[in-house]
């Protein structure tokens, strides 16, 4: 595992990074930095630790909403009226599920 240096709200952090995980880690750092800066710039919270807690709660809430939508999507597709043959609907649903699985595959690896 290598270490990379990143900046979050202007402060440097040295983070452990699994081999091949640097792009995902840098993306996560960008999201955390953006979330924290947004809260700081709103001007209502000044303490860095409180900003970090609020940002992490916002990000966790967003992730939970995305996961709930991913779970609900196949069911909604199955209930949707269609003129397609049943085999076509199953194939399209399988493709959507596969895309969602790929999009969510990296979640949880950085915590």
């Amino acid at each position: 595992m290598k270490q990379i240096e990143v900046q979050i709200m202007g402060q440097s952090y040295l983070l452990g990074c699994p081999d091949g995980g640097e792009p995902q880690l840098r993306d996560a750092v960008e999201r955390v930095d953006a979330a924290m800066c947004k809260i700081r710039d709103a001007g209502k919270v000044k303490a860095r630790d409180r900003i970090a807690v609020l940002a992490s709660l916002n990000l966790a809430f967003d992730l939970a909403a995305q996961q709930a939508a991913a779970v609900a999507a196949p069911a909604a597709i199955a209930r949707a009226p269609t003129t397609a043959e049943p085999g076509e609907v199953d194939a399209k649903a399988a493709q959507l599920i596969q895309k969602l699985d790929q999009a969510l595959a990296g979640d949880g690896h950085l915590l």
Side-chain angles (χ1 to χ4, degrees), residues 4-72:
I4 61 170
E5 186 175 350
V6 299
Q7 297 275 324
I8 300 175
M9 267 186 36
Q11 186 168 344
S12 293
Y13 294 89
L14 191 60
L15 304 176
C17 179
D19 293 335
E22 188 171 342
Q24 290 174 310
L25 181 57
R26 290 204 183 273
D27 181 54
V29 166
E30 286 179 29
R31 283 186 268 155
V32 168
D33 183 53
M36 289 181 67
C37 287
K38 182 178 177 182
I39 292 168
R40 179 200 61 202
D41 295 345
K44 294 182 180 182
V45 181
K46 300 291 184 204
R48 184 179 295 271
D49 60 334
R50 290 183 182 263
I51 291 171
V53 169
L54 291 173
S56 64
L57 287 170
N58 287 338
L59 292 168
F61 181 84
D62 291 344
L63 178 60
Q66 288 174 355
Q67 289 173 337
V71 169

